[in-house]
Amino acid sequence: MEFIQNYIDGKFLRSKREFADINPADGSVIAQVSEADRDLVDSAVLAARKALRAEWGKLGFRERAARLHKVADGIEKRFDCLVAAEVADTGKPVSLASHLDVPRAAANFRVFADLIKNAGLESFQTETPDGRQALNYAVRKPLGVIGIITPWNLPLLLLTWKVAPALACGNTVVVKPSEETPATATILAEVVQEAGIPSGVYNVVHGFGPNSAGEFLTQHPDVNAVTFTGESQTGAAIMKTVAASVKPVSFELGGKNAAIVFADCDFDEAVSGLADAAFLNTGQVCLCAERVYVERPIFDRFVAALKRKAETLQIGSPTDTQTEFGPLISAQHREKVLSYYRLAQEEGAKVITGGAVPEFGNSLDEGFYVQPTIYTGLTESARCVKEEIFGPVCHVAPFDSEEEAVQMANDTKYGLAASIWTTNLKRGHRVAQQMNVGITWVNCWFLRDLRTPFGGAGLSGIGREGGMHSLNFYSEPNNICIRL
Ligand code: NAD
Ligand code: 6OD
């Protein structure tokens, strides 16, 4: 059995306590993971601080960018190993990890390496009322040591989404991947080392949240900023912790995303897009559509077509290249999702498909599978319509007017993403602009350009990352005013 260690100052380190890394497809133990105690987190932060003053702190942006491209090369070289580790840790289908997670990890490094080379500086030519002249320009300085805390649903993708811009800006990082998915962050340590990134620049501490590595990292007085992706409640807990030392935070949190399907949509495209939006990664993508509003004239036909899609998804072993739908991440998360399946029925939902646990008759019965599930018939105030479930489930409701659809879509405390499905371009623009979210897709879903702002409103987060938004978060401007 493998052993997954912390990575601090260029060395792999064990600690006294360990926990098991479980394969969600069959409940087997993949590896033992070394849980970082407070002393190890302290040494990781110290190593990161020292690295800021050493070689890394003296490198210019061109050389940092060159090394980030080498990290991307290294990810591509270890493609199969990273895919296998991600599949074993998350239970996601190998087809998904090899098309989405690992290619995006390499792309994250390439995009931010190129961006830092091409990012301009803000400047103003100044004339004061009393006739003095000056030139103002702002230079970008790293924030320092960045604490990065990430979830289990897209482990390497979401970790590198933060590590790449943080390093591009000249910071050093201590990352705390999810306790459910420790493997790829650790393999990345080897890639980073081979790419010539100096020791102490990238550090990994493993463990849990409260009273473990997550909290020790966010509490640490020598961490200059915290960037976090995960549940809104966890974001609230981290915010309390960091308040004591007034650190900048970037939070990418939960969602209860809506899709609005108009009768004039391209029907097949909308059904296919919504099947992805509801069931991709077993519904464990923060952007997933758990609320689908369909214009009444096509409601019954749409529900029937989405049901067919859900029922023909290939459920099976994540390592089988034909599999389209894997297990949930853990027994505990499955219990949460199943509790919502039960609640939906108590709240009066009509089960269109799913709502239970599939049976395989083999070792997959030990895994954490649930069926893709579609409900109709709930009121808009039902808990299943209001609360993030984070599973392969959506509720489909009819609407009669554009205004009603917009009102229902926006009736949530979250504000991450929305999708609009229509062939009427004017309507697409008009409705998209009324969505109270950070990201709206029209006739597509999860189509990403890494230069665009990414993040959420309300309970879905604080701030934006992506493109210049990331560079602005991970750096501090120093405005220089020169009297002319
Ligand atoms: P989570 O909040 O339970 O855990 C995320 C990370 O935070 C883990 O590494 C965990 O160990 C750590 N953590 C937990 N408590 C902590 C504490 N008190 N202090 C410091 N660290 C702590 O989230 P999860 O279950 O891993 O992920 C699923 C959630 O993430 C969903 O709500 C989903 O919507 C959200 N998510 C959001 C985005 C986005 O971009 N908005 C992306 C992916 C996932
Ligand atoms: O694509 C991204 O950059 C991103 N942050 C995706 C988040 C997905 C949530 O599960």
PDB file of all heavy atoms in Angstrom, residues 457-478:
ATOM      1  N   ALA A 457     -21.550  35.417  -6.512  1.00  0.00           N
ATOM      2  CA  ALA A 457     -22.158  36.448  -5.677  1.00  0.00           C
ATOM      3  C   ALA A 457     -22.799  35.762  -4.459  1.00  0.00           C
ATOM      4  O   ALA A 457     -22.909  34.530  -4.423  1.00  0.00           O
ATOM      5  CB  ALA A 457     -23.222  37.181  -6.491  1.00  0.00           C
ATOM      6  N   GLY A 458     -23.227  36.544  -3.494  1.00  0.00           N
ATOM      7  CA  GLY A 458     -23.950  36.025  -2.330  1.00  0.00           C
ATOM      8  C   GLY A 458     -23.150  34.940  -1.619  1.00  0.00           C
ATOM      9  O   GLY A 458     -21.930  35.043  -1.442  1.00  0.00           O
ATOM     10  N   LEU A 459     -23.846  33.848  -1.254  1.00  0.00           N
ATOM     11  CA  LEU A 459     -23.177  32.749  -0.525  1.00  0.00           C
ATOM     12  C   LEU A 459     -22.175  31.993  -1.390  1.00  0.00           C
ATOM     13  O   LEU A 459     -21.518  31.086  -0.916  1.00  0.00           O
ATOM     14  CB  LEU A 459     -24.228  31.733  -0.061  1.00  0.00           C
ATOM     15  CG  LEU A 459     -25.006  32.014   1.209  1.00  0.00           C
ATOM     16  CD1 LEU A 459     -25.858  30.794   1.574  1.00  0.00           C
ATOM     17  CD2 LEU A 459     -24.073  32.351   2.364  1.00  0.00           C
ATOM     18  N   SER A 460     -22.088  32.347  -2.677  1.00  0.00           N
ATOM     19  CA  SER A 460     -21.192  31.604  -3.582  1.00  0.00           C
ATOM     20  C   SER A 460     -19.760  32.127  -3.590  1.00  0.00           C
ATOM     21  O   SER A 460     -18.917  31.558  -4.295  1.00  0.00           O
ATOM     22  CB  SER A 460     -21.752  31.597  -5.012  1.00  0.00           C
ATOM     23  OG  SER A 460     -22.926  30.838  -5.053  1.00  0.00           O
ATOM     24  N   GLY A 461     -19.497  33.177  -2.851  1.00  0.00           N
ATOM     25  CA  GLY A 461     -18.083  33.523  -2.747  1.00  0.00           C
ATOM     26  C   GLY A 461     -17.771  34.988  -2.589  1.00  0.00           C
ATOM     27  O   GLY A 461     -18.656  35.846  -2.575  1.00  0.00           O
ATOM     28  N   ILE A 462     -16.473  35.233  -2.493  1.00  0.00           N
ATOM     29  CA  ILE A 462     -15.958  36.601  -2.375  1.00  0.00           C
ATOM     30  C   ILE A 462     -14.849  36.742  -3.397  1.00  0.00           C
ATOM     31  O   ILE A 462     -13.886  35.972  -3.386  1.00  0.00           O
ATOM     32  CB  ILE A 462     -15.392  36.869  -0.969  1.00  0.00           C
ATOM     33  CG1 ILE A 462     -16.514  36.743   0.068  1.00  0.00           C
ATOM     34  CG2 ILE A 462     -14.728  38.247  -0.898  1.00  0.00           C
ATOM     35  CD1 ILE A 462     -16.059  37.012   1.494  1.00  0.00           C
ATOM     36  N   GLY A 463     -14.980  37.716  -4.275  1.00  0.00           N
ATOM     37  CA  GLY A 463     -13.923  38.007  -5.244  1.00  0.00           C
ATOM     38  C   GLY A 463     -14.061  37.178  -6.510  1.00  0.00           C
ATOM     39  O   GLY A 463     -14.977  36.356  -6.650  1.00  0.00           O
ATOM     40  N   ARG A 464     -13.157  37.439  -7.424  1.00  0.00           N
ATOM     41  CA  ARG A 464     -13.118  36.720  -8.697  1.00  0.00           C
ATOM     42  C   ARG A 464     -11.688  36.259  -8.930  1.00  0.00           C
ATOM     43  O   ARG A 464     -10.736  36.967  -8.587  1.00  0.00           O
ATOM     44  CB  ARG A 464     -13.516  37.634  -9.860  1.00  0.00           C
ATOM     45  CG  ARG A 464     -14.952  38.118  -9.822  1.00  0.00           C
ATOM     46  CD  ARG A 464     -15.925  36.961 -10.086  1.00  0.00           C
ATOM     47  NE  ARG A 464     -17.303  37.422 -10.113  1.00  0.00           N
ATOM     48  CZ  ARG A 464     -18.092  37.542  -9.028  1.00  0.00           C
ATOM     49  NH1 ARG A 464     -17.638  37.216  -7.824  1.00  0.00           N
ATOM     50  NH2 ARG A 464     -19.327  37.975  -9.139  1.00  0.00           N
ATOM     51  N   GLU A 465     -11.551  35.070  -9.518  1.00  0.00           N
ATOM     52  CA  GLU A 465     -10.242  34.646 -10.006  1.00  0.00           C
ATOM     53  C   GLU A 465     -10.388  34.457 -11.512  1.00  0.00           C
ATOM     54  O   GLU A 465     -11.469  34.576 -12.068  1.00  0.00           O
ATOM     55  CB  GLU A 465      -9.768  33.386  -9.269  1.00  0.00           C
ATOM     56  CG  GLU A 465      -9.591  33.663  -7.767  1.00  0.00           C
ATOM     57  CD  GLU A 465      -8.762  32.634  -7.008  1.00  0.00           C
ATOM     58  OE1 GLU A 465      -7.851  32.028  -7.592  1.00  0.00           O
ATOM     59  OE2 GLU A 465      -9.043  32.445  -5.801  1.00  0.00           O
ATOM     60  N   GLY A 466      -9.275  34.163 -12.189  1.00  0.00           N
ATOM     61  CA  GLY A 466      -9.303  34.053 -13.654  1.00  0.00           C
ATOM     62  C   GLY A 466      -8.609  35.255 -14.256  1.00  0.00           C
ATOM     63  O   GLY A 466      -8.847  36.401 -13.833  1.00  0.00           O
ATOM     64  N   GLY A 467      -7.710  35.011 -15.212  1.00  0.00           N
ATOM     65  CA  GLY A 467      -7.041  36.084 -15.937  1.00  0.00           C
ATOM     66  C   GLY A 467      -6.464  37.138 -15.015  1.00  0.00           C
ATOM     67  O   GLY A 467      -5.840  36.838 -13.986  1.00  0.00           O
ATOM     68  N   MET A 468      -6.697  38.402 -15.360  1.00  0.00           N
ATOM     69  CA  MET A 468      -6.148  39.504 -14.564  1.00  0.00           C
ATOM     70  C   MET A 468      -6.727  39.546 -13.147  1.00  0.00           C
ATOM     71  O   MET A 468      -6.099  40.068 -12.229  1.00  0.00           O
ATOM     72  CB  MET A 468      -6.433  40.843 -15.257  1.00  0.00           C
ATOM     73  CG  MET A 468      -5.641  41.050 -16.522  1.00  0.00           C
ATOM     74  SD  MET A 468      -3.852  40.911 -16.260  1.00  0.00           S
ATOM     75  CE  MET A 468      -3.543  42.268 -15.139  1.00  0.00           C
ATOM     76  N   HIS A 469      -7.933  38.972 -12.969  1.00  0.00           N
ATOM     77  CA  HIS A 469      -8.520  38.954 -11.615  1.00  0.00           C
ATOM     78  C   HIS A 469      -7.638  38.137 -10.680  1.00  0.00           C
ATOM     79  O   HIS A 469      -7.459  38.481  -9.514  1.00  0.00           O
ATOM     80  CB  HIS A 469      -9.938  38.388 -11.655  1.00  0.00           C
ATOM     81  CG  HIS A 469     -10.863  39.228 -12.467  1.00  0.00           C
ATOM     82  ND1 HIS A 469     -11.593  40.249 -11.940  1.00  0.00           N
ATOM     83  CD2 HIS A 469     -11.130  39.213 -13.798  1.00  0.00           C
ATOM     84  CE1 HIS A 469     -12.285  40.840 -12.891  1.00  0.00           C
ATOM     85  NE2 HIS A 469     -12.015  40.223 -14.038  1.00  0.00           N
ATOM     86  N   SER A 470      -7.081  37.039 -11.207  1.00  0.00           N
ATOM     87  CA  SER A 470      -6.176  36.231 -10.375  1.00  0.00           C
ATOM     88  C   SER A 470      -4.904  37.032 -10.082  1.00  0.00           C
ATOM     89  O   SER A 470      -4.444  37.082  -8.934  1.00  0.00           O
ATOM     90  CB  SER A 470      -5.795  34.925 -11.084  1.00  0.00           C
ATOM     91  OG  SER A 470      -6.932  34.121 -11.231  1.00  0.00           O
ATOM     92  N   LEU A 471      -4.344  37.643 -11.132  1.00  0.00           N
ATOM     93  CA  LEU A 471      -3.101  38.400 -10.895  1.00  0.00           C
ATOM     94  C   LEU A 471      -3.355  39.514  -9.881  1.00  0.00           C
ATOM     95  O   LEU A 471      -2.508  39.791  -9.026  1.00  0.00           O
ATOM     96  CB  LEU A 471      -2.556  38.973 -12.204  1.00  0.00           C
ATOM     97  CG  LEU A 471      -2.159  37.964 -13.301  1.00  0.00           C
ATOM     98  CD1 LEU A 471      -1.348  38.657 -14.383  1.00  0.00           C
ATOM     99  CD2 LEU A 471      -1.395  36.764 -12.766  1.00  0.00           C
ATOM    100  N   ASN A 472      -4.522  40.118  -9.957  1.00  0.00           N
ATOM    101  CA  ASN A 472      -4.815  41.206  -9.016  1.00  0.00           C
ATOM    102  C   ASN A 472      -4.975  40.692  -7.591  1.00  0.00           C
ATOM    103  O   ASN A 472      -4.597  41.361  -6.632  1.00  0.00           O
ATOM    104  CB  ASN A 472      -6.064  41.986  -9.442  1.00  0.00           C
ATOM    105  CG  ASN A 472      -5.786  42.809 -10.684  1.00  0.00           C
ATOM    106  OD1 ASN A 472      -4.626  43.113 -10.990  1.00  0.00           O
ATOM    107  ND2 ASN A 472      -6.822  43.137 -11.432  1.00  0.00           N
ATOM    108  N   PHE A 473      -5.527  39.477  -7.442  1.00  0.00           N
ATOM    109  CA  PHE A 473      -5.643  38.946  -6.070  1.00  0.00           C
ATOM    110  C   PHE A 473      -4.277  38.537  -5.519  1.00  0.00           C
ATOM    111  O   PHE A 473      -3.967  38.801  -4.360  1.00  0.00           O
ATOM    112  CB  PHE A 473      -6.601  37.743  -6.000  1.00  0.00           C
ATOM    113  CG  PHE A 473      -6.627  37.158  -4.605  1.00  0.00           C
ATOM    114  CD1 PHE A 473      -7.258  37.833  -3.557  1.00  0.00           C
ATOM    115  CD2 PHE A 473      -5.961  35.971  -4.312  1.00  0.00           C
ATOM    116  CE1 PHE A 473      -7.231  37.331  -2.254  1.00  0.00           C
ATOM    117  CE2 PHE A 473      -5.937  35.461  -3.006  1.00  0.00           C
ATOM    118  CZ  PHE A 473      -6.580  36.141  -1.983  1.00  0.00           C
ATOM    119  N   TYR A 474      -3.465  37.876  -6.351  1.00  0.00           N
ATOM    120  CA  TYR A 474      -2.212  37.300  -5.840  1.00  0.00           C
ATOM    121  C   TYR A 474      -1.053  38.302  -5.833  1.00  0.00           C
ATOM    122  O   TYR A 474       0.092  37.924  -5.639  1.00  0.00           O
ATOM    123  CB  TYR A 474      -1.837  36.048  -6.645  1.00  0.00           C
ATOM    124  CG  TYR A 474      -2.825  34.918  -6.429  1.00  0.00           C
ATOM    125  CD1 TYR A 474      -3.750  34.580  -7.407  1.00  0.00           C
ATOM    126  CD2 TYR A 474      -2.844  34.218  -5.227  1.00  0.00           C
ATOM    127  CE1 TYR A 474      -4.671  33.559  -7.194  1.00  0.00           C
ATOM    128  CE2 TYR A 474      -3.763  33.199  -5.005  1.00  0.00           C
ATOM    129  CZ  TYR A 474      -4.671  32.875  -5.994  1.00  0.00           C
ATOM    130  OH  TYR A 474      -5.583  31.876  -5.769  1.00  0.00           O
ATOM    131  N   SER A 475      -1.342  39.583  -6.086  1.00  0.00           N
ATOM    132  CA  SER A 475      -0.265  40.565  -6.011  1.00  0.00           C
ATOM    133  C   SER A 475      -0.762  41.837  -5.344  1.00  0.00           C
ATOM    134  O   SER A 475      -1.967  42.051  -5.197  1.00  0.00           O
ATOM    135  CB  SER A 475       0.283  40.859  -7.407  1.00  0.00           C
ATOM    136  OG  SER A 475      -0.735  41.392  -8.211  1.00  0.00           O
ATOM    137  N   GLU A 476       0.196  42.644  -4.957  1.00  0.00           N
ATOM    138  CA  GLU A 476      -0.100  43.886  -4.243  1.00  0.00           C
ATOM    139  C   GLU A 476       0.452  45.014  -5.106  1.00  0.00           C
ATOM    140  O   GLU A 476       1.644  44.984  -5.438  1.00  0.00           O
ATOM    141  CB  GLU A 476       0.691  43.816  -2.932  1.00  0.00           C
ATOM    142  CG  GLU A 476       0.331  44.823  -1.908  1.00  0.00           C
ATOM    143  CD  GLU A 476      -0.736  44.289  -0.949  1.00  0.00           C
ATOM    144  OE1 GLU A 476      -0.374  43.527  -0.052  1.00  0.00           O
ATOM    145  OE2 GLU A 476      -1.899  44.654  -1.145  1.00  0.00           O
ATOM    146  N   PRO A 477      -0.352  45.984  -5.509  1.00  0.00           N
ATOM    147  CA  PRO A 477       0.235  47.067  -6.296  1.00  0.00           C
ATOM    148  C   PRO A 477       1.020  48.034  -5.411  1.00  0.00           C
ATOM    149  O   PRO A 477       0.597  48.351  -4.306  1.00  0.00           O
ATOM    150  CB  PRO A 477      -0.983  47.763  -6.919  1.00  0.00           C
ATOM    151  CG  PRO A 477      -2.141  47.369  -6.103  1.00  0.00           C
ATOM    152  CD  PRO A 477      -1.790  46.146  -5.306  1.00  0.00           C
ATOM    153  N   ASN A 478       2.169  48.466  -5.914  1.00  0.00           N
ATOM    154  CA  ASN A 478       2.903  49.552  -5.245  1.00  0.00           C
ATOM    155  C   ASN A 478       2.909  50.706  -6.240  1.00  0.00           C
ATOM    156  O   ASN A 478       3.547  50.628  -7.293  1.00  0.00           O
ATOM    157  CB  ASN A 478       4.333  49.086  -4.940  1.00  0.00           C
ATOM    158  CG  ASN A 478       5.217  50.220  -4.432  1.00  0.00           C
ATOM    159  OD1 ASN A 478       4.716  51.318  -4.131  1.00  0.00           O
ATOM    160  ND2 ASN A 478       6.509  49.979  -4.358  1.00  0.00           N
TER     161      ASN A 478
END
